[in-house]
Amino acid sequence: MSALVFATNNPHKIAEVKEMLGEHYDFLSLADIGCEEDIPETSPTLAGNAQQKARYVREKYGYDCFSEDTGLEVDALDGAPGVITARYAGPTRSAAANNEKVLKELGDRRDRSARFRTFICLILEGEEHLFEGRCEGRITDAPRGEGGFGYDPIFLPEEGDGRVFAEMSGAEKHAISHRGRALNKLTDFLTEKAAS
Ligand code: IMP
């Protein structure tokens, strides 16, 4: 089984990736390779942040790796929180505070359309590849559900059955989520590469 570093220490993201691709790859987290520092994420774009993280791991630790960066874009908030999705309500990165801030900023506005976008940057054998996954949806009026993480309690995917992400099982969420879609593109690429 090939080893591939997933440049994150977010246990939710690692669990999601292992659920989806764990049979094919031996995923190493940043902690597994001894990378304990905060990797800079200073780009003004999600794609740029994903590239910055993957390049850092490749250059400093020498591993083939991939990184991802995800943002929530709310149309009525001019695309916010966007690139500051993790820190929308401040540096503590509290999911509850972030959700509360989105709901407060939106108030009782009727246009609640939003989307998650994930960019994955893979660096393999010296080449860099970018994959994007999107999930269109709406922001609810209040948080619901117990599962998932981050903004899952207030995000109602367009293709679902009326449940927010936090009310779905992991498998149900991956089937339609931004990260699931970006990871499917990554998997297709890696599978093709292995077969060639
Ligand atoms: P980052 O990609 O680790 O910078 O995460 C950005 C922010 O988006 C964090 O606040 C996460 O909690 C949130 N986030 C990332 N993926 C998801 C998801 O699948 N559902 C809900 N929130 C997410």
Side-chain angles (χ1 to χ4, degrees):
M1 210 189 284
S2 315
L4 199 55
V5 172
F6 182 10
T8 184
N9 274 327
N10 180 329
H12 300 286
K13 290 185 179 180
I14 292 172
E16 286 194 358
V17 166
K18 283 189 172 166
E19 275 172 43
M20 282 185 264
L21 301 174
E23 280 172 35
H24 304 287
Y25 295 93
D26 180 17
F27 288 107
L28 302 176
S29 67
L30 290 174
D32 292 333
I33 62 166
C35 172
E36 278 164 16
E37 64 273 25
D38 274 339
I39 301 180
E41 288 182 57
T42 52
S43 168
T45 65
L46 297 170
N49 278 332
Q51 285 169 325
Q52 198 177 10
K53 285 186 272 190
R55 287 174 190 167
Y56 182 96
V57 170
R58 175 70 215 169
E59 281 161 24
K60 212 162 167 209
Y61 292 87
Y63 283 95
D64 279 344
C65 65
F66 70 94
S67 64
E68 69 106 68
D69 205 50
T70 294
L72 175 69
E73 297 174 347
V74 182
D75 291 334
L77 302 181
D78 295 325
V83 80
I84 59 155
T85 292
R87 295 165 277 117
Y88 193 42
T92 57
R93 298 172 174 244
S94 153
N98 284 340
N99 287 340
E100 207 174 295
K101 182 165 179 189
V102 169
L103 292 176
K104 190 164 167 238
E105 301 276 321
L106 265 181
D108 57 5
R109 261 186 266 205
R110 289 172 67 181
D111 175 10
R112 307 183 81 80
S113 57
R115 75 203 48 78
F116 274 113
R117 290 169 80 201
T118 292
F119 284 90
I120 290 179
C121 177
L122 169 72
I123 300 182
L124 191 65
E125 298 164 1
E127 284 183 11
E128 199 171 288
H129 308 270
L130 207 55
F131 307 95
E132 182 185 358
R134 284 178 180 233
C135 183
E136 297 289 334
R138 288 171 50 75
I139 302 298
T140 54
D141 294 329
R144 287 170 11 202
E146 303 294 326
F149 69 104
Y151 296 82
D152 282 348
I154 61 166
F155 188 80
L156 188 63
E158 204 169 68
E159 290 159 80
D161 56 6
R163 285 178 295 163
V164 296
F165 272 158
E167 294 171 312
M168 296 181 180
S169 69
E172 287 171 327
K173 177 183 168 188
H174 307 329
I176 56 172
S177 81
H178 43 295
R179 187 170 303 99
R181 288 187 169 134
L183 283 169
N184 283 342
K185 290 184 186 173
L186 173 73
T187 319
D188 288 349
F189 177 85
L190 290 172
T191 309
E192 218 170 279
K193 185 107 187 144
S196 66

